[in-house]
Amino acid sequence: MRHFADIRALASQALAAARQMFVLFFPAFLFPAAVLLVPAACAPATSVGPATMEHASLLRIERADSFTRVEVLDAWHPGRTSQVYVLVPGDAPLPERLPEGTLLRTPLRRAIACSAVHAGLLADLGRLGSVAGICDARYVCREDLRAALAAGSPADAGSSVTPDVERLVALRPDAILVSPFENAGHGTMAAAGAPLVECADYMETSALGRAEWMKFFGLLFGCESRTDSLYNTVCAAYDSLCDVAASAKSRPTLMCDRKEGAIWYVPGGQSYLGRIYADAGAQYLFADRAESGSVPLSFEEVFRTARDADVWFVKYGAAAGLTYNALAGDFAPYRDFRPWRTRRIYGCNTYAMPYYETVPFRPDLLLRDVVKIMHPELLPGHTLRFYTPL
């Protein structure tokens, strides 16, 4: 135990030294964002008024004449606030009185994206040039992001799980975009010295709720008009597809994913994927599960519920496309599911298709695929984008 304590003490000293080096060698003017609020001589800010969120349940945006207050709610503890951010234009003096929170001078110009999901959105918004680095770059699938990484801008920011503080500091970030997890901090990521911006979009329970988080990114990166245009496009397309699916005369049953080790994870009925399946006119076989995230089940539980499903969706990452024989070779009992016998399994190879970098903020594109598969007669001209037959 003492040896373990000594190791922890050494680790703490190393982190402290890293922070000290950061303060000594990187002057404040290189970082337009600041963690502490420091009053400055200026006119006082006017009262704050809330902006209406249409679908997002974990995000609140309030505007004043000289700042914007953004509140990220705690997805795991209803009624609690996780983080508060105060956004002030970088070319404006600080108001005398600001609400409590992490100060961010906008637009951000050297952010680090810990997820390619958010880097992909910023590329769509024309702000990839404001991304200094992307974590876990080796897993990036989207072609434009891969090309930018190959050219060195943005840079490979290393691992999001075990971050290299020295590498992060060298990138001189003005903010780091992170995903929060229940009862977990962000480890040594904070030692980079830049504000951590928690992006809880993945915990939203509706597809359009997650997509609406792009409004926060529009504020952070100074592209509100472009964000509003994209969001309106997504909502219009999504709602139109819901209307199309509502006219279907049947609701085919749907199962998804496959066993990982001893566990089979399925989306909860209240997850954004569960909602997409329902909106597409599918009878998702685990829709009765109240969870908003993934649900761990045994093979036997899945088999009892889904053995006679009409359609099966499988996401996988591989150099070659998945086949029926390969699927059964991985686990022979897969042959006992009806979609295996009737050849109604659709696969999405996430190594070849940027599913994870696209779907979170463009749920309309996935919805179109699901409607086409469930009710091909409703979208006769659509070519599948993400899921294709095995």
Side-chain angles (χ1 to χ4, degrees):
M1 290 296 292
R2 175 157 185 169
H3 178 64
F4 179 72
D6 290 342
I7 292 174
R8 291 190 62 181
L10 287 172
S12 298
Q13 291 172 7
L15 286 179
R19 292 189 184 98
Q20 204 168 28
M21 291 283 287
F22 176 82
V23 173
L24 288 173
F25 293 100
F26 290 92
F29 70 84
L30 292 176
F31 295 86
V35 176
L36 299 177
L37 295 178
V38 180
C42 184
T46 60
S47 59
V48 175
T52 302
M53 302 302 292
E54 296 177 348
H55 299 282
S57 62
L58 300 175
L59 189 67
R60 292 177 181 168
I61 298 174
E62 300 172 309
R63 299 175 185 271
D65 63 339
S66 55
F67 67 89
T68 300
R69 180 181 182 274
V70 178
E71 186 176 358
V72 177
L73 303 184
D74 190 326
W76 297 275
H77 302 94
R80 295 187 191 177
T81 296
S82 178
Q83 296 291 335
V84 174
Y85 301 98
V86 181
L87 282 55
V88 178
D91 59 358
L94 288 178
E96 282 184 4
R97 292 184 293 275
L98 287 172
E100 291 185 4
T102 299
L103 175 64
L104 298 170
R105 302 305 297 263
T106 59
L108 299 179
R109 302 187 185 280
R110 294 195 57 80
I112 291 177
C114 289
S115 168
V117 170
H118 303 121
L121 170 64
L122 292 169
D124 290 339
L125 295 174
R127 288 296 186 272
L128 188 57
S130 298
V131 179
I134 301 176
C135 291
D136 304 321
R138 61 178 175 160
Y139 299 114
V140 170
C141 178
R142 188 165 150 163
E143 289 186 5
D144 56 347
L145 297 185
R146 289 171 65 90
L149 285 164
S153 181
D156 180 347
S159 170
S160 62
V161 178
T162 55
D164 182 333
V165 174
E166 194 172 304
R167 183 186 298 194
L168 295 178
V169 169
L171 289 172
R172 299 179 293 113
D174 49 15
I176 302 176
L177 311 178
V178 298
S179 297
F181 297 94
E182 185 177 14
N183 300 321
H186 301 290
T188 56
M189 196 71 73
L196 303 183
V197 179
E198 292 198 346
C199 305
D201 51 281
Y202 78 101
M203 287 300 296
E204 291 286 347
T205 59
S206 73
L208 293 181
R210 186 173 191 182
E212 192 169 18
W213 271 71
M214 69 174 70
K215 293 180 179 179
F216 185 22
F217 291 86
L219 292 169
L220 289 172
F221 291 88
C223 51
E224 290 179 73
S225 60
R226 190 159 184 170
T227 301
D228 290 343
S229 176
L230 178 58
Y231 176 69
N232 291 335
T233 296
V234 170
C235 287
Y238 194 97
D239 290 341
S240 176
L241 287 165
C242 287
D243 292 340
V244 170
S247 68
K249 297 179 181 179
S250 64
R251 290 178 63 84
T253 54
L254 173 66
M255 62 178 288
C256 56
D257 299 321
R258 57 179 174 170
K259 193 168 69 72
E260 298 177 16
I263 303 298
W264 191 318
Y265 292 94
V266 301
Q270 297 304 308
S271 67
Y272 81 98
L273 278 177
R275 299 288 185 88
I276 287 177
Y277 298 151
D279 289 340
Q283 183 181 339
Y284 177 48
L285 290 170
F286 298 94
D288 61 338
R289 299 297 304 234
E291 291 89 345
S292 59
S294 294
V295 183
L297 300 174
S298 67
F299 170 80
E300 290 75 18
E301 289 175 295
V302 174
F303 188 71
R304 281 196 299 269
T305 301
R307 63 184 299 174
D308 293 320
D310 293 313
V311 179
W312 184 357
F313 287 170
V314 178
K315 289 194 297 293
Y316 65 96
L322 186 64
T323 66
Y324 283 91
N325 287 338
L327 187 62
D330 181 49
F331 188 61
Y334 288 148
R335 296 174 181 269
D336 297 327
F337 286 93
R338 184 180 175 212
W340 196 95
R341 301 193 307 271
T342 60
R343 296 301 195 259
R344 292 207 67 192
I345 302 179
Y346 293 79
C348 175
N349 188 350
T350 58
Y351 280 12
M353 170 57 62
Y355 175 94
Y356 294 113
E357 294 117 310
T358 305
V359 168
F361 293 101
R362 291 303 309 267
D364 55 307
L365 300 180
L366 176 60
L367 180 62
R368 189 175 296 276
D369 263 17
V370 182
V371 172
K372 172 68 175 182
I373 293 169
M374 295 293 153
H375 309 287
E377 74 283 358
L378 298 181
L379 296 174
H382 175 60
T383 301
L384 293 174
R385 175 192 295 260
F386 299 108
Y387 283 98
T388 55
L390 262 58

